[in-house]
Amino acid sequence: MAAWWAVLGLLAVCMASAAKKSVLNMCMDAKHHKTEPGPEEELHDQCVLWKDNACCTANTSTGAHQDQSYLYNFNWNHCGVMPEKCKQHFIQDTCLYECSPNLGPWIDQADTSWRRERILNVPLCKEDCELWWEDCKDATTCKENWHKGWNWTSGTNRCPRGSICQPFKYVFPRPADLCEKIWSNSYKYTTEHRGGGRCIQMWFDPANGNPNVAVAKYYAQNGRDASPAPRAVLLLLPAALLSLL
């Protein structure tokens, strides 16, 4: 009996370690993501930050920079031309979403036809969110939540009937409104600062390494549990093995 419990303990430790490792370096099950992260030397422009270890391909990174790309047929210019300084933040947001292998602790199930997983409540650094808002406050849009509610009859997103194009600063009065509402709570506004190891950075200098590696590790150990399946297996494992005694 003691031997069985020793085996159970060892197996539990091994499975927990494997689950944590995968959460720290994984790609979500979504439309354009690779199944496993790895080097991508040809990543385009703003996505190059992730070339050493990426969940996106070179083609995906190129699409991330196009106004209306094959990725999602999404038109940034649905209420007039988006200012370039604002567009850079949306490109960076797309690069982070498509390329980062460090979002595992915030991967959640998604009930959509085009992806099985999404990110939820990723803690975004204060500077990243506030600069995004500052550079986009005078851009215009007709919707608060860009994930749903568009008119897609033309094949691309158009403002729904009855909506009005307004400056971002009226649609999103605060930086937190923009970062949290625009993609259905994919991000969470925080007061944590870049370099503090407690928030995900959309922008960083790859010459100094990827700071999001340490952030993912911290939250995998102390925060949100993104591995419910392995955890459930661990809970069921003792009963299953004991039945063999």
Side-chain angles (χ1 to χ4, degrees), residues 218-231:
Y218 171 80
Y219 282 97
Q221 293 175 338
N222 303 291
R224 178 183 169 122
D225 180 7
S227 306
R231 185 174 166 189

Side-chain angles (χ1 to χ4, degrees), residues 161-204:
R161 180 175 297 180
S163 61
I164 301 173
C165 291
Q166 302 180 77
F168 270 49
K169 59 189 174 186
Y170 299 135
V171 179
F172 308 105
R174 303 171 303 151
D177 295 321
L178 170 62
C179 298
E180 295 181 355
K181 294 179 179 180
I182 198 163
W183 298 127
S184 305
N185 298 112
S186 292
Y187 298 119
K188 181 174 69 174
Y189 174 81
T190 75
T191 56
E192 301 290 345
H193 295 281
R194 291 175 181 172
R198 299 294 183 269
C199 60
I200 291 292
Q201 294 182 210
M202 291 175 64
W203 308 80
F204 58 88

Side-chain angles (χ1 to χ4, degrees), residues 16-35:
S17 176
K20 182 176 293 184
K21 183 177 180 180
S22 67
V23 165
L24 296 179
N25 187 44
M26 67 182 296
C27 302
M28 74 184 85
D29 186 354
K31 188 173 184 179
H32 300 290
H33 288 70
K34 294 159 49 177
T35 55

Side-chain angles (χ1 to χ4, degrees), residues 50-111:
W50 289 275
K51 69 181 181 67
D52 292 337
N53 193 34
C55 287
C56 62
T57 64
N59 284 342
T60 298
S61 72
T62 300
H65 291 74
Q66 297 170 346
D67 286 343
Q68 190 172 326
S69 76
Y70 77 96
L71 295 181
Y72 304 102
N73 291 323
F74 195 91
N75 182 16
W76 306 120
N77 303 318
H78 53 268
C79 274
V81 178
M82 178 179 283
E84 193 61 33
K85 65 178 181 178
C86 176
K87 189 182 300 180
Q88 288 180 353
H89 290 275
F90 282 97
I91 291 172
Q92 199 67 15
D93 157 50
T94 304
C95 288
L96 175 67
Y97 171 77
E98 299 288 351
C99 302
S100 177
N102 312 120
L103 301 175
W106 304 280
I107 289 178
D108 203 21
Q109 296 303 304
D111 184 21

Side-chain angles (χ1 to χ4, degrees), residues 100-142:
S100 177
N102 312 120
L103 301 175
W106 304 280
I107 289 178
D108 203 21
Q109 296 303 304
D111 184 21
T112 61
S113 60
W114 53 276
R115 63 178 180 177
R116 298 179 63 184
E117 293 179 330
R118 59 163 295 184
I119 51 174
L120 184 66
N121 294 325
V122 174
L124 201 60
C125 291
K126 177 183 174 70
E127 296 89 342
D128 290 67
C129 184
E130 294 186 351
L131 283 172
W132 190 358
W133 186 87
E134 184 65 30
D135 287 343
C136 289
K137 65 183 180 182
D138 294 320
T140 52
T141 185
C142 56

